[in-house]
């Protein structure tokens, strides 16, 4: 009889325990505000310190991030899709020479540019990516075309360019990606005969990459990432940005993620998918999942970088383990732009 | 006082509950046999039916799988590393014309061959991969060289070939990969003007790819995958095989995984990492994690294929959602080769 009572108590307590765990889960806020829209963006992470920044440069980055947020916000507010918001926002960042993506892409060892991008839809887990392209003006738009117009997920090099050119994607001469600033960076690094992760701005070592994650009024999450890779890279190296699961992931059930950082670590730790998995199986919210992967697992491994994360209730996290990360978000209640640590 | 007693009972029961959960976890058997070695391999999954198989062909595949297992077994039994076991076993499968990897690679639309491979070490999560190469005899060995001799994880095309050639990897003329059988498959498919996933053997549609996961006496897990891709593919499409997290993953804490199947689905579901995550965060064992991803998530999405999974206690699962999968495993107690469903 006592055993029976204990057994019943056990069952009751196990139920209570499970419920407590679920309350710790994904949606600590905004539950009452659904449907809502939200977008979070990044423009790279790294050794970005206030003391090394000029007012002029800080203003240029802040203005660019603000403008990018406005592009996505306008689309989302008017009932547009998160796919449009992410693509158009990233197009703007790709067209800016400030960021290591599109126009501002860094140079490879062979003085060429090799751009990567990926995009994923959280409603059906469809995905598209291009790698190592240098005649596509906006790689994120090519990634979207792979997603929507092909049976494939990932195309690289000349094949990806051929596919894009057949689908009304704007093609450019490789010289479009020449910028004096990036070319000088390459020369400087070649003189030092070392490989440097993304851009070197004299004092600011940064992991250049841009990304956006958006939630639209229909409740769909889309995540996208675009990059110019690593200055002075050789051997057609591919980083995490075009790798679904590493640089980008989206699942309406969990979250959308876009990463920026030392790509090799982000691939090995499958960072974007790991954050989604920690929410799916580990019952964590966006902040807990992001901290676990970016601020624990990657820090222990020596992998630098950050991520932006957004769930279906509009909860946002922007964890990074570097000195700074160009980042910001917008929703019906807030607009935030940040560069340094809080 | 009653509340205090109830609180203490709660704590005790929560502890018991946690322990029960852990017992359900990764290591349901073999705990008493550690240290042990084990290796599991696959040679592709698909519509492989007994009724369509000749005795001769069945014998050829069985013999090849047996020989492959013996190569790895010999290395592991003698205290060799799981990295050596996986590389040498996959080399054998790559050199056999029976499988869609290495020598037996299928043809692209442009009548070329584009091979992919990846390798991952479970002790430190280091990884290497090559994609879209056609002058490297054994892509899995090139992937190992990327892992061990470079700071990068993933190289593609000419760059990957240049890197391999600088590191004593055996290079071949692209004509090495010509086999009449594969060329005829391409011609047949081109006549039908459709893209076919991997090989068409008249009656057997298969996802050709080879893979191995090994556990050595030091307790280290290594996983590797190698493929010739998809017959008649265009646009330098990259499948899941060279993508860490999609076709291959290894983590001593959870498991090693190598996949074979419709690559696009395996990328979108980050299948190899998802299986590892289900074990890490979801407290599942190899069979439960494999079934969740291969037989539930992929089946619901319409993605066909399979995976081999091995944990640090030597527990093995070989889930697949197709008619058959060339597969087998060996450990100090058992040697099993299978082709069809049980």
């Amino acid at each position: 009889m006592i055993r029976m009572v204990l057994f019943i108590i056990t069952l009751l307590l196990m139920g209570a325990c499970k419920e407590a765990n679920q309350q710790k889960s994904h949606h600590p806020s905004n539950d009452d505000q659904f449907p809502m829209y939200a977008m979070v963006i990044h423009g790279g992470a790294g050794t970005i310190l206030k003391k090394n920044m000029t007012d002029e440069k800080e203003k240029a980055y802040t203005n660019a991030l603000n403008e990018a947020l406005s592009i996505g916000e306008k689309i989302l507010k008017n009932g547009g899709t998160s796919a449009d918001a992410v693509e158009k926002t990233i197009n703007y960042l790709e067209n800016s020479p400030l960021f290591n993506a599109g126009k501002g892409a860094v140079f490879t060892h062979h003085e060429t540019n090799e751009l990567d991008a990926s995009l994923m839809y959280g409603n059906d887990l469809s995905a598209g990516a291009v790698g190592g392209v240098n005649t596509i003006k906006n790689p994120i738009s090519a990634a979207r075309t792979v997603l929507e117009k092909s049976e494939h997920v990932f195309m690289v090099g000349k094949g990806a360019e051929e596919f894009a050119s057949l689908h009304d994607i704007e093609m450019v001469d490789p010289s479009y990606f020449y910028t004096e600033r990036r070319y000088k960076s390459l020369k400087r690094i070649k003189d030092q005969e070392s490989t440097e992760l993304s851009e070197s701005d004299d004092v600011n070592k940064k992991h250049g990459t841009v990304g956006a994650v958006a939630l639209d009024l229909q409740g769909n999450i889309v995540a996208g990432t675009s990059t110019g890779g690593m200055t002075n890279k050789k051997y057609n190296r591919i980083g995490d940005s075009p790798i679904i699961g590493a640089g980008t992931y989206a699942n309406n059930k969990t979250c959308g993620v876009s990463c920026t950082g030392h790509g090799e670590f982000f691939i090995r730790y499958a960072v974007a998918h790991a954050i989604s998995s920690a929410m799916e199986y580990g019952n964590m919210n966006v902040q807990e999942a992001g901290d676990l992967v970016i601020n624990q697992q990657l820090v222990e491994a020596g992998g630098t970088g950050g991520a932006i994360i957004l769930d279906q209730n509009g909860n946002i996290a922007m964890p990074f383990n570097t000195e700074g990360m160009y980042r910001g978000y917008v929703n019906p209640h807030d607009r935030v732009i940040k560069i340094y640590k809080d």
Side-chain angles (χ1 to χ4, degrees), chain A:
Chain A
M1 178 61 188
I2 288 174
R3 289 180 68 175
M4 177 63 90
V5 169
L6 273 176
F7 180 70
I8 290 167
I9 292 175
T10 309
L11 287 182
L12 288 171
L13 289 170
M14 281 170 75
C17 171
K18 198 176 164 195
E19 203 174 309
N21 263 331
Q22 281 170 348
Q23 280 171 0
K24 194 186 71 176
S25 169
H26 317 170
H27 314 303
S29 66
N30 282 322
D31 271 8
D32 52 332
Q33 292 149 4
F34 195 84
M36 74 176 298
Y37 67 83
M39 190 171 72
V40 55
I41 62 174
H42 70 76
T47 312
I48 308 167
L49 290 166
K50 177 88 179 165
K51 64 176 184 184
N52 298 326
M53 187 74 90
T54 62
D55 284 351
E56 190 187 17
K57 204 175 142 194
E58 188 177 295
K59 198 173 167 191
Y61 277 100
T62 304
N63 286 348
L65 293 170
N66 240 320
E67 183 61 31
L69 281 181
S70 296
I71 291 167
E73 182 183 33
K74 191 174 169 192
I75 292 168
L76 295 168
K77 195 190 282 188
N78 292 326
T81 65
S82 43
D84 282 345
V86 166
E87 182 190 0
K88 301 307 173 197
T89 299
I90 291 181
N91 284 165
Y92 174 82
L93 296 168
E94 286 174 334
N95 293 345
S96 162
L98 289 174
F99 305 97
N100 178 19
K103 176 66 184 165
V106 299
F107 281 88
T108 70
H109 183 75
H110 300 293
E111 307 192 356
T112 58
N113 307 96
E114 291 178 357
L115 294 83
D116 306 325
S118 63
L119 187 72
M120 185 161 186
Y121 293 178
N123 62 334
D124 61 359
L125 306 197
S126 57
V130 295
V133 297
N134 76 344
T135 60
I136 295 173
K137 186 182 176 197
N138 293 108
I140 196 71
S141 299
R144 184 173 182 179
T145 300
V146 171
L147 186 161
E148 295 191 343
K149 304 280 172 63
S150 87
E151 294 178 342
H152 300 318
V153 167
F154 192 15
M155 299 179 187
V156 298
K158 295 294 161 211
E161 291 171 349
E162 185 193 345
F163 181 81
S165 70
L166 293 172
H167 288 86
D168 292 331
I169 293 294
E170 188 173 352
M171 309 302 286
V172 291
D173 186 86
S175 64
Y176 166 78
F177 298 105
Y178 176 87
T179 55
E180 196 183 345
R181 172 183 167 218
R182 301 300 193 189
Y183 190 68
K184 280 185 178 165
S185 284
L186 174 68
K187 288 296 183 194
R188 200 162 48 230
I189 292 169
K190 270 189 164 178
D191 289 346
Q192 300 163 5
E193 255 323 307
S194 73
T195 303
E196 184 155 327
L197 297 169
S198 70
E199 67 189 68
S200 166
D201 243 334
D202 290 336
V203 285
N204 289 351
K205 277 199 190 178
K206 292 203 300 291
H207 300 300
T209 292
V210 306
V213 187
L215 167 70
D216 60 28
L217 293 173
Q218 293 74 47
N220 287 321
I221 299 170
V222 167
T225 310
S226 183
T227 190
M230 185 188 272
T231 303
N232 200 30
K233 78 178 173 117
K234 300 177 187 174
Y235 309 124
N236 300 128
R237 171 258 191 189
I238 299 264
D240 63 312
S241 299
I243 309 279
I244 296 300
T248 304
Y249 207 72
N251 185 342
N252 281 0
K253 285 199 306 182
T254 53
C255 62
V257 185
S258 170
C259 299
T260 175
H262 189 156
E264 279 68 17
F265 286 86
F266 281 69
I267 295 175
R268 292 165 48 206
Y269 284 78
V271 168
H273 186 261
I275 290 170
S276 172
S277 290
M279 292 180 65
E280 184 168 4
Y281 301 115
N283 225 14
M284 298 183 199
N285 63 35
V286 290
Q287 192 67 52
E288 293 163 342
D291 281 342
L292 173 71
V293 181
I294 301 292
N295 287 316
Q296 286 184 47
Q297 293 177 356
L298 280 189
V299 167
E300 282 165 26
T304 54
I308 51 172
I309 315 167
L310 169 63
D311 75 11
Q312 210 176 27
N313 284 357
N315 297 303
I316 286 168
M318 305 186 289
F320 57 98
N321 61 33
T322 49
E323 294 300 328
M325 178 164 82
Y326 298 113
R327 63 201 189 278
Y329 67 85
V330 64
N331 63 32
H333 320 291
D334 254 337
R335 169 182 282 252
V336 171
I337 305 265
K338 289 187 178 181
I339 296 179
Y340 317 105
K341 280 189 181 163
D342 287 327

